[in-house]
Amino acid sequence: MMERKELYELIGLQEEVICRLQAIEEEVDLAQIDPLLSRLMDQKTMEKAYEELKAVLDEDEEQMRMLYCQLECVRRVWDRYRQKGISKVVYADTMKCFTRFLGECEQKNGRMFFDRGWWTYRQISMKIFRIGALEYEFCDGDEAGMTAVHIPSDADLSAASVQQSLAESRTFFTTFYPDCGHDKYICNSWLLSPVLRSLLPEGSRIAAFQDRFEITEVEKDSREYVEWLFQSPLETENENLPAQTSLQRKAKELMLAGGNIGSAYGILKEYGDIT
């Protein structure tokens, strides 16, 4: 199992958070919740285990106890990475989501707390891996056998970076999960919204990323992009949104005029041609 200090250094965890977690060590009895942690690391039980853990960690308003528990799982899952032969680079890049989410929370809210515990059990259970610029998630249900592509907020969307990530992901899944299909890549994101086309400049990396996908569904009313494009809480009034970048300014102007960016669902074109 990876040492706590090594993990914190590996993912670049903020010093403020480390200090808070060190204080929490005395408050959380890991032995008592060990069965829940094991279930949190299992894709079949992770969602229910998360809800049960929340109830056990009563009065965890800023979810820092939850963060402590989930990072304990991250320490433990390193052994599973090693057993499969998955590199420490992929492990670190995947688990840096915790540090990134904490930073995004501070940017949006003016203070740092853990607001993504409902999502990060996917990384803990090895359902999501970050490979280069992008993240890849095992799909289930009606989309079983497909791979969902996620775009982290710090992703390099240059053509070369995206192509390299896609190519490396195919090698990754062929090597470590050869029996899981992965014959189709899908993406559901505001970055695929056709509305963005009129707001983007010539040669836009976002537009080039969109061109890789066949858009099959558009959700015109979605406002999830507010968090990502403006780094603002979802409920922020349109007139109070920042307008620092060119895309922010154009999007805000559109929204103030009654428009909306929405989101879209797409399927990666010609998966077999990734090289």
Side-chain angles (χ1 to χ4, degrees), residues 7-66:
L7 172 63
Y8 294 170
E9 290 178 353
L10 186 66
I11 65 175
L13 198 64
Q14 296 89 341
E15 285 298 325
E16 171 192 335
V17 176
I18 293 174
C19 291
R20 294 171 70 179
L21 293 179
Q22 288 173 339
I24 286 172
E25 286 183 31
E26 304 299 322
E27 302 174 9
V28 179
D29 185 352
L30 291 175
Q32 184 179 15
I33 60 174
D34 188 73
L36 280 176
L37 299 185
S38 296
R39 290 171 55 213
L40 198 62
M41 297 166 64
D42 185 331
Q43 294 178 27
K44 295 178 181 178
T45 56
M46 59 185 186
E47 294 183 48
K48 188 173 182 181
Y50 169 69
E51 294 300 330
E52 291 180 14
L53 184 57
K54 274 204 308 182
V56 170
L57 300 175
D58 191 27
E59 298 183 7
D60 187 21
E61 183 178 350
E62 295 198 333
Q63 296 292 297
M64 298 307 288
R65 292 178 185 169
M66 176 62 74

Side-chain angles (χ1 to χ4, degrees), residues 244-270:
Q244 298 172 346
T245 69
S246 173
L247 183 54
Q248 284 178 342
R249 288 192 293 272
K250 291 180 180 179
K252 183 174 180 178
E253 182 179 348
L254 172 74
M255 296 164 71
L256 290 174
N260 192 52
I261 290 176
S263 65
Y265 178 99
I267 301 171
L268 185 71
K269 302 174 185 175
E270 301 178 346

Side-chain angles (χ1 to χ4, degrees), residues 70 74 95 97-98 101 114 116-125:
Q70 291 204 5
V74 171
M95 301 311 173
C97 67
F98 287 90
F101 290 157
F114 186 49
R116 303 290 178 82
W118 56 271
W119 177 262
T120 45
Y121 50 68
R122 293 167 171 82
Q123 282 85 352
I124 288 170
S125 65

Side-chain angles (χ1 to χ4, degrees), residues 102-141:
L102 288 161
E104 290 170 357
C105 177
E106 183 178 36
Q107 189 169 7
K108 284 188 301 183
N109 301 285
R111 61 192 180 90
M112 199 178 297
F113 56 94
F114 186 49
D115 61 353
R116 303 290 178 82
W118 56 271
W119 177 262
T120 45
Y121 50 68
R122 293 167 171 82
Q123 282 85 352
I124 288 170
S125 65
M126 299 175 72
K127 192 172 192 287
I128 288 181
F129 298 94
R130 181 161 187 175
I131 304 169
L134 305 172
E135 293 176 327
Y136 302 88
E137 179 177 10
F138 289 110
C139 293
D140 43 34

Side-chain angles (χ1 to χ4, degrees), residues 50-216:
Y50 169 69
E51 294 300 330
E52 291 180 14
L53 184 57
K54 274 204 308 182
V56 170
L57 300 175
D58 191 27
E59 298 183 7
D60 187 21
E61 183 178 350
E62 295 198 333
Q63 296 292 297
M64 298 307 288
R65 292 178 185 169
M66 176 62 74
L67 176 62
Y68 176 77
C69 292
Q70 291 204 5
L71 288 176
E72 173 65 20
C73 292
V74 171
R75 290 204 310 137
R76 299 180 183 190
V77 83
W78 167 235
D79 291 340
R80 297 184 183 179
Y81 270 73
R82 287 195 300 180
Q83 288 166 7
K84 288 190 72 69
I86 299 174
S87 74
K88 198 171 188 177
V89 171
V90 171
Y91 171 80
D93 287 350
T94 300
M95 301 311 173
K96 283 177 182 176
C97 67
F98 287 90
T99 309
R100 186 175 73 251
F101 290 157
L102 288 161
E104 290 170 357
C105 177
E106 183 178 36
Q107 189 169 7
K108 284 188 301 183
N109 301 285
R111 61 192 180 90
M112 199 178 297
F113 56 94
F114 186 49
D115 61 353
R116 303 290 178 82
W118 56 271
W119 177 262
T120 45
Y121 50 68
R122 293 167 171 82
Q123 282 85 352
I124 288 170
S125 65
M126 299 175 72
K127 192 172 192 287
I128 288 181
F129 298 94
R130 181 161 187 175
I131 304 169
L134 305 172
E135 293 176 327
Y136 302 88
E137 179 177 10
F138 289 110
C139 293
D140 43 34
D142 293 339
E143 296 176 336
M146 301 182 191
T147 303
V149 179
H150 300 296
I151 309 102
S153 61
D154 61 351
D156 175 3
L157 290 184
S158 65
S161 179
V162 171
Q163 190 70 9
Q164 181 177 355
S165 176
L166 291 169
E168 289 180 357
S169 74
R170 184 171 69 171
T171 300
F172 176 89
F173 289 118
T174 300
T175 302
F176 300 112
Y177 295 94
D179 300 325
C180 292
H182 305 288
D183 59 340
K184 185 180 290 185
Y185 278 19
I186 60 174
C187 183
N188 189 351
S189 172
W190 70 276
L191 288 169
L192 295 187
S193 170
V195 176
L196 284 173
R197 287 287 180 168
S198 63
L199 308 180
L200 297 170
E202 188 75 22
S204 164
R205 293 181 176 187
I206 295 176
F209 184 81
Q210 286 188 353
D211 288 340
R212 294 177 181 271
F213 292 84
E214 177 186 353
I215 305 303
T216 60

